[in-house]
Amino acid sequence: CRVEYLNYEVLDDRGWDLDEADLMETAADGGLDREDYGQFWVRPRESLLEAAERHGFAWPFACRGGACANCAIVVLEGDMRTRVDHVLPEEMLDEGFQLSCNGMPVTDELQVVYNVKSMPELEDLLL
Ligand code: FES
């Protein structure tokens, strides 16, 4: 699966909106560092967090076991399957929130915003 990613901190700094239809195009033209925006490949049976780390990125996490939400991401395009999720409520899953620590892509393409733990929605879920 090919993943296109964007750091939530950048989005927040620049005043971009998560719901913007062409958010990733805006990011692609934004002159961002590879750490903040880019693409990488996820191997079969690899979680998104593991793939990010294999590519040298330090995405946030804490428990790695589906219990803390520090690793949360928002999926803009594509879909993921999470093996263990004890933390995200149903309505957040409906809004595209997922856990990167054990979530695996189930589509060939995925667009995600990572590092969303500073979003107000997650404030009460972080351990
Ligand atoms: Fe804790 Fe993913 S790191 S839920």
Side-chain angles (χ1 to χ4, degrees):
C1 165
R2 187 170 62 91
V3 178
E4 189 176 7
Y5 60 89
L6 172 64
N7 186 351
Y8 179 74
E9 216 169 270
V10 170
L11 178 143
D12 205 28
D13 280 356
R14 301 208 175 185
W16 296 342
D17 190 352
L18 204 56
D19 300 324
E20 232 171 274
D22 50 3
L23 176 60
M24 283 303 187
E25 282 88 338
T26 309
D29 295 338
L32 299 172
D33 290 344
R34 225 175 88 70
E35 190 183 305
D36 292 326
Y37 166 80
Q39 300 183 0
F40 59 70
W41 289 86
V42 184
R43 292 175 177 158
R45 289 184 297 283
E46 190 176 44
S47 77
L48 196 55
L49 178 62
E50 286 162 353
E53 290 173 339
R54 182 167 55 78
H55 288 87
F57 302 122
W59 286 17
F61 70 89
C63 73
R64 299 185 90 99
C68 75
N70 281 284
C71 69
I73 56 163
V74 172
V75 176
L76 303 177
E77 282 288 335
D79 207 2
M80 285 177 62
R81 186 175 55 82
T82 305
R83 280 168 298 178
V84 188
D85 180 351
H86 299 298
V87 63
L88 295 178
E90 197 68 40
E91 63 268 23
M92 288 185 70
L93 297 175
D94 292 344
E95 288 168 26
F97 287 89
Q98 290 280 352
L99 302 176
S100 70
C101 69
N102 71 90
M104 296 180 186
V106 291
T107 47
D108 291 340
E109 310 260 322
L110 201 64
Q111 282 187 346
V112 304
V113 175
Y114 79 96
N115 195 22
V116 300
K117 64 186 180 128
S118 56
M119 286 177 75
E121 287 92 330
L122 284 156
E123 211 170 304
D124 297 337
L125 300 176
L126 299 178
L127 290 177

